[in-house]
Amino acid sequence: TLTSSFVSAQSRKRLFSTSDRSGFPGFIQSNSLFFSPSLYSSCVSALTALPSLQSSLVSQNISLYSPPPFITIFGEYAGPGIQHNSSVALEKLPHQIFAVFALYIPVTYKGEDTAILIVDPEQIKQILTFGGASLPGKMYILPWFYKENINLMDKNEMEQQTVPKLNQLVDQVDKLDPWVKQQFGIEGPGEGIVWYPSIIAPVSSHTYSRYSKKKENDQKSNTDIVAPLWIKTFANLAFKTKGESHQMVVKKQPKQQQQQSTGTGDETTIKR
């Protein structure tokens, strides 16, 4: 999390101590020239300077704070030693990495405090490198992986088309993590697929049903999401599908589907 006066490293559930020099806090400390209040300032400048982002905000009547109280970078810290007794490709990397997949920005909508997630990889890159900055070594922005829109309200379509397609894609990723293979030349299972909602409007979670997805720790889906996602939309609708080699509890078909909240880190297994 970035502010005008300090930077803090945190997991989904807690802040790390500034004296902790190992793992993710150590990564932040060793790259303190990048992760600094100066990065916060350049990100704030980018939010008001990027035409595509500004048009998205204006079209949805979203108001940015001037300036935002903080900006949070969402990412996965992964690599050897993080997932013990795991055979996933990320565990075979020569070093640990930080893979960014979203920026959390506090905003207001019709006078109410809320937040958006910027998930488009190009916009994330433009914001984090605004003013000519370079990303630290071992820090990556996940690109889109695959484009697919599905309707979760149609039971017949779900059973006959959607679920088989999901299982096919999850099996594919379960055998080979394509991003790790492309980026590092290392082969091994991926961690699953995270599906993103393609609806961006601040409406009830009961009023829409179209989704798109991204890979967790792999490439994100090659979808047309270029506008920010409302944080409640993401929390209510984003979900994860995992293959058999990466299940928390080993099961046979159907594949494990988990609903995930970025706010609490809670996960719920849903049988299909």
Side-chain angles (χ1 to χ4, degrees):
T1 296
L2 310 169
T3 74
S4 60
S5 58
F6 67 90
V7 174
S8 63
Q10 64 189 83
S11 68
R12 286 183 293 184
K13 296 183 178 181
R14 69 183 181 91
L15 290 172
F16 291 109
S17 168
T18 54
S19 62
D20 190 345
R21 304 282 176 166
S22 62
F24 183 57
F27 173 80
I28 299 298
Q29 291 285 346
S30 63
N31 292 285
S32 58
L33 290 178
F34 180 80
F35 296 105
S36 69
S38 296
L39 176 60
Y40 165 83
S41 299
S42 63
C43 287
V44 170
S45 298
L47 291 174
T48 58
L50 298 178
S52 62
L53 179 59
Q54 275 299 302
S55 62
S56 298
L57 297 176
V58 170
S59 67
Q60 295 183 81
N61 297 315
I62 300 172
S63 299
L64 288 170
Y65 287 98
S66 183
F70 63 89
I71 295 172
T72 300
I73 302 171
F74 281 0
E76 187 86 10
Y77 194 66
I82 293 179
Q83 293 176 299
H84 301 290
N85 301 319
S86 174
S87 62
V88 296
L90 287 167
E91 277 292 311
K92 301 177 183 179
L93 296 182
H95 51 72
Q96 295 172 345
I97 64 170
F98 182 46
V100 176
F101 55 80
L103 300 178
Y104 179 102
I105 314 291
V107 297
T108 62
Y109 175 73
K110 295 184 177 179
E112 295 185 5
D113 293 336
T114 182
I116 55 173
L117 282 181
I118 296 175
V119 298
D120 180 71
E122 185 56 35
Q123 285 187 347
I124 293 173
K125 181 179 179 181
Q126 289 176 337
I127 292 170
L128 292 180
T129 61
F130 189 77
S134 298
L135 296 178
K138 304 176 185 177
M139 179 175 174
Y140 302 86
I141 298 172
L142 296 180
W144 293 115
F145 164 65
Y146 188 82
K147 179 177 180 179
E148 183 76 23
N149 286 324
I150 64 173
N151 186 343
L152 300 184
M153 294 302 200
D154 189 318
K155 182 178 179 181
N156 290 332
E157 183 178 333
M158 280 287 293
E159 292 179 350
Q160 298 174 17
Q161 300 178 31
T162 303
V163 171
K165 181 65 173 178
L166 287 177
N167 285 337
Q168 179 185 5
L169 290 169
V170 172
D171 283 339
Q172 214 175 325
V173 172
D174 199 41
K175 291 172 182 158
L176 180 68
D177 186 318
W179 183 72
V180 174
K181 169 67 175 175
Q182 180 183 32
Q183 191 73 44
F184 303 99
I186 293 174
E187 297 186 1
E191 293 196 19
I193 301 173
V194 175
W195 293 69
Y196 274 31
S198 59
I199 291 292
I200 58 176
V203 295
S204 166
S205 60
H206 299 291
T207 62
Y208 47 79
S209 60
R210 295 187 66 82
Y211 294 70
S212 53
K213 67 178 181 306
K214 86 168 184 68
K215 283 287 304 303
E216 176 186 331
N217 292 329
D218 293 327
Q219 294 172 312
K220 300 194 286 186
S221 65
N222 183 23
T223 183
D224 295 324
I225 298 179
V226 293
L229 292 172
W230 289 86
I231 187 65
K232 289 183 179 180
T233 304
F234 185 86
N236 289 335
L237 298 179
F239 66 92
K240 181 191 304 180
T241 51
K242 293 182 177 181
E244 293 181 0
S245 69
H246 194 66
Q247 290 183 11
M248 297 172 69
V249 178
V250 177
K251 296 180 181 180
K252 293 186 178 180
Q253 293 287 343
K255 296 292 179 289
Q256 211 179 44
Q257 176 180 313
Q258 295 180 322
Q259 189 172 355
Q260 178 171 294
S261 166
T262 56
T264 65
D266 297 334
E267 294 182 347
T268 304
T269 300
I270 304 170
K271 289 187 68 177
R272 296 193 269 109

